Amino acid sequence: MNKKNRAFLKWAGGKYTLTEQINARLPEAKRLIEPFVGAGSVFLNSNFEEYILNDINPDLIEMYKIIKRKPKQFIVDAKVYFQAEYNQEDVYYQLREKFNKSDDVYLRSLLFLYMNRHGYNGLCRYNKSGGFNVPFGRYKQPYFPENELLFFAEKAKKATFTCKPYQKLFLYLRDSDVLYCDPPYVPLSKSASFTSYATQGFSLDDQAQLAKLARESKAAVLLSNHDTTLTQELYRGATCDKFFVSRTISSKSTDRKPVAELFAFFPAKK
């Protein structure tokens, strides 16, 4: 693909810079299944006939469904929150509280995009009670991703969005499928375990279970993760490629050092 397409969300661990490497490792298939779709950079920069895009975060998936169904109305309504009057700390916290108290799926979707672009570093984080708790980001003029939303909505016509535990996605497999799994990464240290994209978190038992499902899958599976002693053991038998990625999650540019990651590929069972 010539032009790369950016996701409309800012996302910790997003794969925009690695889409070429990922596509080069994905075998030809009719349908791509992503159990951990996140911001959707692989979806937006690949070319399959069909997609199943899953995430355990219901706010994310409900927003994607709404954008697929009525993108123009969503854009009109979301744009309101990108006026200067909403880029203020007190307003941000008022709207964050409104989001946390609301059961209105459409309002939550609008505010989810607002907080993603106005909150600190594009983080998506919830407390143990399920409340979104990312602080205000203090950006001069947050970008409203209208073109990116329109592109996403058009491509979403090929996609089915689901909000299920990752294990369920392995039950849907056809021989002609391929899975790309980008789970919350194994922490590099005890203090670096920021993985709570949704309130459930992702444990080391989950890492082991995902690796087992990938190894036993009848369809081909590509996984990405940190390159650690643990992941090397979990993905034993897979074809593994190591690479380095610059981290952008740290607030200090001097702390954004390259980190070793890996791709692990389990071929389809014959």
Side-chain angles (χ1 to χ4, degrees), residues 13-114:
K15 291 296 181 286
Y16 176 77
T17 59
L18 294 171
T19 55
E20 293 94 343
Q21 293 95 314
I22 292 167
N23 278 319
R25 290 167 172 81
L26 289 173
E28 285 189 17
K30 182 176 180 182
R31 186 171 68 169
L32 176 67
I33 299 177
E34 291 194 64
F36 311 90
V37 68
S41 287
V42 175
F43 157 63
L44 293 168
N45 291 283
S46 59
N47 191 24
F48 293 84
E49 290 181 38
E50 300 174 42
Y51 295 85
I52 293 181
L53 305 177
N54 181 80
D55 203 280
I56 198 63
N57 184 332
D59 292 318
L60 182 70
I61 294 301
E62 290 302 327
M63 180 183 61
Y64 285 166
K65 289 179 180 178
I66 288 169
I67 293 166
K68 176 183 178 178
R69 193 166 66 247
K70 47 182 179 182
K72 292 181 180 177
Q73 185 62 54
F74 182 87
I75 286 170
V76 168
D77 295 337
K79 211 173 208 175
V80 171
Y81 293 101
F82 285 73
Q83 299 175 56
E85 64 198 87
Y86 291 95
N87 190 26
Q88 300 179 43
E89 188 166 4
D90 59 335
V91 175
Y92 175 86
Y93 288 118
Q94 288 169 19
L95 290 174
R96 192 180 76 174
E97 184 178 6
K98 188 175 183 179
F99 172 88
N100 285 331
K101 290 181 176 178
S102 178
D103 315 345
D104 185 316
V105 174
Y106 188 68
L107 175 63
R108 286 178 68 91
S109 294
L110 296 173
L111 293 179
F112 188 83
L113 175 59
Y114 162 77

